[in-house]
Amino acid sequence: MAPKNPKQKSPNSPKQPTRGKKRSTMVASVNEEVEPVNMEVMGHPEIYPLVLTTKTQEIFNCRVDEDVTDDQPYKLIKKEDIFEDFKNRGAISDFHPVKKVIQEYPGDEILLVYDKDFKYGLNFYVIGTEEGKENYLNPPEVLEDQEEYKEYSSEEVYIYKAPVSKPWISLGSEKEIEEESVNEATKQTTYMISRKRRKFGAPIKFSDHNASSIKDAYIECTAYPDKNFTLQQVEKDVGMQVIPQIKDRGTQTRWTYPKNATTQYYPREFSEEEKEAVGQSKPFADFFDNVSVGQNSVEIALQQNEIMNTFIDDWKCLAEEEGTFVDKTDTQLKEYQSFTDLHSPMEKMITCVAWHPTIYGLIAVSVAVRLSFEDRVLNSGKLLLQPSLILLWSFSDPIHPQLMLEGPDDIFCFQFCPSDPNIIAGGCINGQIVMWDITAHADRIENIKSGGGRSKKPILKPMFLLEPDSNKEATYIRHCAVSSIENGHRKVITDIHWLADTFEINRMGAVFENRNGICCQLVTCSADCTVCFWDIRPQKALLPQTAEKKKEEVIEIPFDVPSTFLHLDLSWKPLAKVRLSKGETSVDHCPTKISLNESHISQTPVGLNTLHTFSSILAQDRAGKMEEINPYQNLEGGMAGHLKPIDEFCTKFFVGTEEGEVIYTDWKLERDPETGRLMSKKPVSMHTVHDGAVHTIQRSPFYNDIILTIGGWNVAIWKENVMTGPLLQSCCAPKRYTSGHWSLTRPAVFYVGREDGYIDIWDLLEKTHEPSLSQNICITMITGIKPWPSSSKQQLLAIADHFGTLHILEIPWTLSHPSSNEVSSVQYYFQREVKHLEYVAQRKVIRDKEIKQINMEKERKRSKTYQKSKEQIEAGLKLDYEQYLDLEKTTLISLGLLKISERRSFIDML
């Protein structure tokens, strides 16, 4: 049914353009087949609107107000002229959107109509049928018989009757639907089949076996009719479903084969005569005489080496033992404290862990419902009623969280702002970014005082001593801004980082100086194959508003939500977007973790030389911030002003993907020379090392160019600008790795969590092919690892598991205090591995050349055999035949089967 107003556009009709505006949406690419769009929704399926530019109007003599006017708004165009235009201009022809209609048109001339009022959305339209063209050129006459109309209208008068609601009466149809519905009676079972790492890529050899000779190899079960039982099917009731249930299963054949192998050998011994000769020989006697002279001194030296180590450095041991009272042989992690949320009605897991950068003994964790994707879809209604939280735990109260930050959906990653720890940014499972401002609740968690006596270590006051009634009910804090769900990520955000306060980027990815001097930009990655950069400042300068408007805005803001990032709420869009495209296929890379350079992100320096001054630095920093105005309260400056570009800035970063790939790429965008659109650069290097999704990709806190990646069942260590491969790649672990982290004080140590609840501790100075220590922490999968140096003599390790428990462990002395030359030793190890990779690359080139030479030599020999003449081949065959005849004659004579008379006849025959 057409709309009442002919000038009113249909909701499905194209957007009305202005006259003379260049078309941009109706041109298809050369290789695409455009489906013509008709006006079927308006009741005219034969009409196909299109845009004709001025050049096309001149070619077909259909210029507006000259060839087509208000009196004659149509033009008949031959199909041959349109086909000629397709040959000349191809896909850029204005008739290309209706190419299929023109090819299927039965007539020779097509009717083109000028749409002056843009009734169908564009300036022209064609009629795709002969019947429609005839109705337009020769419209049917309207019978104006007023008397018949009056009689008809007077006889039949429509009277409107309002519908009356009636109670619904059940006739048993719902029972039939319930009986015919398909219900799964059995519980679905999930199988996971794996094989050992050393068998990946191994050559497979197939062999034939007799199935009957091998036990349990083949059992034939032939079918036979049972005479004692006969069943005839008379009627069958079958319930069908539109979409059949699909099951995917895979299997692998074991490639090993049985074989027999034996080895037999005999010892080599002297005979009795040889033993007597050697024992009575003079060289043997002289040897014993020479050895027996210094026998006493040798025995004494051996005894001394067994009692004490003569090569030990006493001064070095003295320096290591100073200031410690623990046993250096203790290498096990010790349980210090644990936190569990006992008030949540649903089972949840910990997705991310972060220590508070300035408050001692405060740690934050994000929790998510422990459900699969199918279960989330089924229980989506219940999940809306459950809050998505970030819990802030304190050592003073392990039962009640100090604060609970609410989000729109489950949080899978978050990070404190380095410029202001009261600002927190997080990424949700639905692709949105959330911002919190806990400045109003800072007094609740920042209760630090100096202890009496000699100890000056910051102590967190127990909350029950400060506010007796504060822990009875948890404090919920709502988010103050959330990004636009239409313009952000399409899938779960897996990683988030704050960019450093020394630079900022624009939409092209170019680097400029930071005018604010605070962290104002973030970078996120998601499984939707994109890496996005966000700016928390308003993109446009805010216009001056009247006092009434300001008053209205203040009233609309909830009392418990700060107005710090109100300008971002539900309108926050990414500043720049980098898409990790594979190029040759339509499938893109799905990033899980990203690792930026040390100059890209803002980090808190940690080390043994800064641990003893950690508390004083935090106190001075806090005192200075109290005097200053919060810089995040005044972000109306926007993006205006002239920026100074930063030259020679490295914009490359590492990315880990779901397929186990480690990609080294650039975030700068470049313009496509053909289309002029902004597009991401191709990756600098890409290696598929891990056999599963990459869960950890982190730079070493001691070497900025060393990167640790963990994914699947192995671990790898990389060096930036070394494109040949990883410096270290571990073998397949007994269980899948799920998380990991570098040690903050020892450059050779890093921790790796497994899915069976064990944690592997690697020490590169002790072993490089396997972990130095494995320790069980829990009974479920480890989801996060975060170390933290609490003091110069104590370091803590936070480990989160799949059941929602946060374990705080104390790191032993041997894993927290490095030796005097450990930094140089580990660096020398990495340098040797780089040289080894270069040597392997050189050997590969040399080996390729050798293989080419061998293949060329084989081809040369083959060509020589083919170059032999026909006469040489015949001569060789004749010589072989004669040698065969001589052999036959000698064999017959030797066997006595050939007599003298037969010999002569045989010779004559030959």
Side-chain angles (χ1 to χ4, degrees), residues 637-648:
M639 302 294 291
H642 180 69
L643 297 177
K644 180 181 179 182
I646 302 177
D647 299 331
E648 298 180 357

Side-chain angles (χ1 to χ4, degrees), residues 119-397:
K119 179 180 180 180
Y120 301 109
L122 302 178
N123 58 354
F124 284 86
Y125 64 88
V126 296
I127 299 177
T129 59
E130 284 286 335
E131 183 180 359
K133 182 176 75 173
E134 189 66 22
N135 292 336
Y136 183 87
L137 296 177
N138 300 315
E141 298 180 359
V142 181
L143 299 177
E144 298 178 357
D145 194 353
Q146 300 293 338
E147 294 180 358
E148 291 183 5
Y149 178 77
K150 291 180 180 179
E151 293 177 0
Y152 177 79
S153 60
S154 61
E155 291 177 0
E156 298 182 4
V157 179
Y158 176 74
I159 300 174
Y160 172 75
K161 295 181 179 180
V164 180
S165 61
K166 299 178 181 180
W168 181 72
I169 301 174
S170 175
L171 300 178
S173 59
E174 69 277 2
K175 295 182 180 179
E176 295 179 2
I177 295 174
E178 184 177 357
E179 291 176 356
E180 296 295 334
S181 61
V182 179
N183 297 323
E184 296 183 1
T186 59
K187 186 179 180 180
Q188 295 182 356
T189 307
T190 304
Y191 295 95
M192 180 176 179
I193 302 174
S194 61
R195 65 187 305 184
K196 294 183 179 179
R197 172 68 178 177
R198 65 172 179 270
K199 296 181 180 179
F200 285 3
I204 301 174
K205 296 181 181 179
F206 296 97
S207 60
D208 297 332
H209 288 283
N210 188 1
S212 59
S213 62
I214 301 176
K215 185 179 179 181
D216 299 333
Y218 173 73
I219 299 176
E220 184 177 4
C221 298
T222 58
Y224 63 93
D226 190 358
K227 298 180 181 180
N228 298 325
F229 180 76
T230 305
L231 179 64
Q232 294 181 359
Q233 183 177 354
V234 180
E235 184 180 356
K236 187 176 182 180
D237 189 4
V238 181
M240 301 297 293
Q241 196 171 358
V242 178
I243 301 175
Q245 188 175 6
I246 301 175
K247 295 182 180 180
D248 295 334
R249 289 188 177 93
T251 182
Q252 289 180 334
T253 307
R254 188 176 181 183
W255 66 274
T256 56
Y257 59 95
K259 62 179 180 179
N260 298 326
T262 59
T263 304
Q264 186 176 5
Y265 60 92
Y266 297 94
R268 184 178 177 183
E269 297 180 354
F270 287 124
S271 62
E272 295 296 334
E273 293 80 6
E274 291 176 346
K275 290 180 181 179
E276 293 180 359
V278 172
Q280 296 176 3
S281 62
K282 185 178 180 181
F284 188 74
D286 295 340
F287 170 76
F288 272 98
D289 293 339
N290 295 331
V291 174
S292 61
V293 174
Q295 184 177 4
N296 297 329
S297 60
V298 172
E299 291 180 354
I300 294 173
L302 292 175
Q303 292 176 1
Q304 289 178 352
N305 290 336
E306 289 291 332
I307 295 173
M308 61 178 298
N309 186 8
T310 58
F311 302 99
I312 193 170
D313 189 358
D314 298 331
W315 294 102
K316 179 181 176 181
C317 296
L318 183 63
E320 289 182 354
E321 293 177 355
E322 182 180 359
T324 179
F325 302 98
V326 296
D327 187 6
K328 293 186 292 183
T329 61
D330 187 10
T331 59
Q332 296 289 330
L333 300 173
K334 297 180 180 180
E335 186 77 20
Y336 186 78
Q337 203 166 5
S338 63
F339 301 96
T340 305
D341 186 13
L342 304 176
H343 307 285
S344 178
M346 299 189 68
E347 297 179 350
K348 294 189 177 182
M349 63 177 179
I350 297 178
T351 57
C352 186
V353 182
W355 293 88
H356 197 282
T358 58
I359 300 178
Y360 172 79
L362 191 66
I363 186 170
V365 295
S366 60
V367 293
V369 179
R370 194 168 64 245
L371 294 176
S372 61
F373 178 77
E374 293 79 7
D375 296 336
R376 279 183 174 272
V377 175
L378 295 175
N379 302 322
S380 58
K382 296 180 181 179
L383 295 178
L384 293 175
L385 303 177
Q386 298 295 328
S388 302
L389 303 174
I390 294 180
L391 309 177
L392 273 73
W393 295 98
S394 175
F395 286 170
S396 62
D397 190 357

Side-chain angles (χ1 to χ4, degrees), residues 447-459:
N447 297 297
I448 300 177
K449 69 176 183 179
S450 300
R454 299 180 180 179
S455 176
K456 295 183 179 181
K457 177 180 175 181
I459 300 175

Side-chain angles (χ1 to χ4, degrees), residues 349-593:
M349 63 177 179
I350 297 178
T351 57
C352 186
V353 182
W355 293 88
H356 197 282
T358 58
I359 300 178
Y360 172 79
L362 191 66
I363 186 170
V365 295
S366 60
V367 293
V369 179
R370 194 168 64 245
L371 294 176
S372 61
F373 178 77
E374 293 79 7
D375 296 336
R376 279 183 174 272
V377 175
L378 295 175
N379 302 322
S380 58
K382 296 180 181 179
L383 295 178
L384 293 175
L385 303 177
Q386 298 295 328
S388 302
L389 303 174
I390 294 180
L391 309 177
L392 273 73
W393 295 98
S394 175
F395 286 170
S396 62
D397 190 357
I399 299 177
H400 304 91
Q402 302 302 310
L403 295 176
M404 292 186 179
L405 310 183
E406 288 185 335
D409 210 336
D410 287 344
I411 309 297
F412 271 70
C413 59
F414 69 94
Q415 193 178 37
F416 290 93
C417 178
S419 300
D420 187 0
N422 294 324
I423 306 298
I424 304 172
C428 299
I429 191 175
N430 61 355
Q432 289 181 294
I433 295 184
V434 192
M435 298 289 291
W436 291 275
D437 186 1
I438 59 174
T439 306
H441 305 271
D443 296 336
R444 179 180 175 86
I445 60 175
E446 295 180 357
N447 297 297
I448 300 177
K449 69 176 183 179
S450 300
R454 299 180 180 179
S455 176
K456 295 183 179 181
K457 177 180 175 181
I459 300 175
L460 189 66
K461 286 185 178 180
M463 299 302 298
F464 61 88
L465 294 179
L466 297 174
E467 300 176 10
D469 299 331
S470 61
N471 287 333
K472 292 183 180 180
E473 295 182 1
T475 302
Y476 290 88
I477 301 177
R478 294 178 58 185
H479 57 84
C480 56
V482 65
S483 64
S484 172
I485 196 170
E486 296 86 2
N487 301 299
H489 290 290
R490 302 296 181 184
K491 293 184 180 180
V492 54
I493 298 177
T494 54
D495 202 3
I496 185 170
H497 294 281
W498 287 88
L499 297 184
D501 56 358
T502 57
F503 74 98
E504 63 182 56
I505 67 170
N506 60 0
R507 298 184 182 275
M508 293 284 293
V511 183
F512 298 89
E513 62 176 356
N514 190 343
R515 70 175 70 85
N516 295 84
I518 57 175
C519 298
C520 295
Q521 291 182 343
L522 301 101
V523 56
T524 58
C525 71
S526 174
D528 61 351
C529 310
T530 58
V531 176
C532 295
F533 292 85
W534 308 75
D535 199 307
I536 64 176
R537 297 165 295 185
Q539 301 298 314
K540 296 181 180 179
L542 299 177
L543 298 175
Q545 298 177 349
T546 60
E548 296 180 356
K549 291 185 177 181
K550 291 184 178 180
K551 187 176 181 181
E552 291 177 0
E553 290 183 358
V554 172
I555 295 174
E556 292 177 358
I557 301 174
F559 69 94
D560 57 344
V561 178
S563 61
T564 310
F565 304 103
L566 185 63
H567 57 279
L568 302 176
D569 194 20
L570 298 176
S571 62
W572 195 9
K573 300 179 182 179
L575 178 67
K577 184 179 291 187
V578 180
R579 188 166 191 87
L580 301 177
S581 176
K582 291 186 178 180
E584 66 274 3
T585 60
S586 59
V587 182
D588 298 336
H589 300 286
C590 296
T592 55
K593 295 292 179 180

